[in-house]
Amino acid sequence: MSAADRLTPLGVMVLSMLREDAMHPYEMIRLMRIRRDDRILSLTNGTFYHTVARLERAGLIASTGVDRDGNRPERTTYALTPAGSGAATAWVRRELVRTGRPTEFRVALAEAHDLARDDVIALLERRRALLGADAAERSQALVDARATGVPDQYLVEADREAALDAADLAWLDAFLGRLRDPDTLWGEHAGGKTSARYLAQRKAARE
């Protein structure tokens, strides 16, 4: 089993955050809450610290020192290792394509900006093909069920799924269109780490 296979969605978010800078867990938790990443994953202190410990044992992150600020508890700062960077990249690439894993896909989308634009386009085009085939199959099954006289009351969930399929495909097509546009900023070119908003978030997370 590869390092990417052992990663959890929360572990990937920790590794991706450490691409920005070395941080201690308290700052990472604060930053995730400021950015509302807890919309994607349930975030508790216990689970977070356990995840950090697992990543360190796996060699995906490494301690860079312990600090104490006044009367506050000691805080260990962690940095991303090359193995951690590679594992996070592999996980995001895999989950951008895989279907039927909504939480993993949301995390992969949230961290896709760490990949090159052309890579993201190619991966999402593969996902689009898989989703399209699955949606067509489900849509035909719904048509067939109605043609054989199955009452609508038994097809409500299937009808909802067809609507969600259509919405998912429409969003993906629109996003791919924006991403193919060279005027759409992506990755380092978006200048996120130098923006006033980013710097304010980092400052607030350290307090």
Side-chain angles (χ1 to χ4, degrees):
M1 182 180 292
S2 70
D5 292 331
R6 290 190 291 270
L7 282 175
T8 64
L10 179 57
V12 173
M13 296 188 82
V14 171
L15 296 177
S16 297
M17 208 166 3
L18 291 177
R19 289 186 193 275
E20 301 174 25
D21 199 2
M23 302 182 204
H24 53 72
Y26 177 79
E27 180 182 356
M28 287 188 270
I29 293 172
R30 291 265 297 166
L31 195 55
M32 288 183 72
R33 287 178 173 149
I34 289 169
R35 293 173 175 174
R36 298 301 309 278
D37 289 334
D38 50 0
R39 295 176 302 106
I40 302 174
L41 295 173
S42 176
L43 188 60
T44 65
N45 289 1
T47 301
F48 192 90
Y49 280 93
H50 177 69
T51 297
V52 168
R54 287 185 59 194
L55 294 173
E56 184 180 24
R57 287 196 301 271
L60 303 182
I61 63 175
S63 168
T64 61
V66 179
D67 300 315
R68 181 189 291 275
D69 185 4
N71 294 324
R72 292 178 177 175
E74 289 185 345
R75 291 173 175 169
T76 302
T77 297
Y78 294 94
L80 185 65
T81 66
S85 178
T89 297
W91 191 97
V92 171
R93 290 180 60 86
R94 182 186 70 192
E95 297 301 334
L96 283 176
V97 176
R98 296 173 79 176
T99 61
R101 294 163 61 87
T103 298
E104 287 80 358
F105 180 59
R106 291 182 70 191
V107 172
L109 271 182
E111 310 304 343
H113 57 84
D114 289 326
L115 304 183
R117 181 197 303 262
D118 289 345
D119 286 347
V120 176
I121 291 172
L123 293 166
L124 290 180
E125 285 176 341
R126 289 170 56 193
R127 180 184 184 86
R128 207 291 180 199
L130 293 171
L131 284 177
D134 289 345
E137 183 177 338
R138 286 191 287 266
S139 178
Q140 186 59 53
L142 185 60
V143 169
D144 293 343
R146 284 173 171 153
T148 59
V150 177
D152 266 355
Q153 65 181 357
Y154 300 124
L155 299 175
V156 174
E157 194 281 328
D159 186 62
R160 173 182 177 274
E161 188 174 40
L164 292 175
D165 284 340
D168 202 8
L169 289 168
W171 176 85
L172 192 50
D173 287 340
F175 177 64
L176 281 168
R178 295 197 305 273
L179 197 54
R180 293 185 186 107
D181 183 350
D183 290 334
T184 299
L185 297 178
W186 186 256
E188 293 183 359
H189 299 294
K193 291 179 68 173
T194 60
S195 70
R197 179 171 177 270
Y198 173 81
L199 296 174
Q201 287 180 345
R202 290 295 307 276
K203 181 180 178 181
R206 295 188 186 107
E207 294 175 349

